[in-house]
Amino acid sequence: MNSAFFWDLFLDTGAPEMYVYYQEAKRSEEQYVSDSTGACTARQSI
């Protein structure tokens, strides 16, 4: 599940644990993006 789902759930319910889940999901999404930025390398012409 993505962070937007937990944020919407937090806004709907006000449950503090949903905010914690939102923060964890957001952090893992940011980590995934920053880890995958160098995954593709430019082709070198031979």
Side-chain angles (χ1 to χ4, degrees):
M1 291 185 193
N2 62 14
S3 60
F5 170 78
F6 290 117
W7 181 250
D8 289 338
L9 197 56
F10 170 69
L11 292 178
D12 290 342
T13 64
E17 62 272 14
M18 291 304 121
Y19 183 75
V20 172
Y21 292 147
Y22 161 73
Q23 289 294 337
E24 291 175 3
K26 183 177 163 190
R27 189 174 21 246
S28 69
E29 288 172 1
E30 290 170 355
Q31 185 177 23
Y32 174 75
V33 170
S34 65
D35 286 348
S36 64
T37 56
C40 295
T41 58
R43 283 191 171 167
Q44 296 178 342
S45 59
I46 299 177

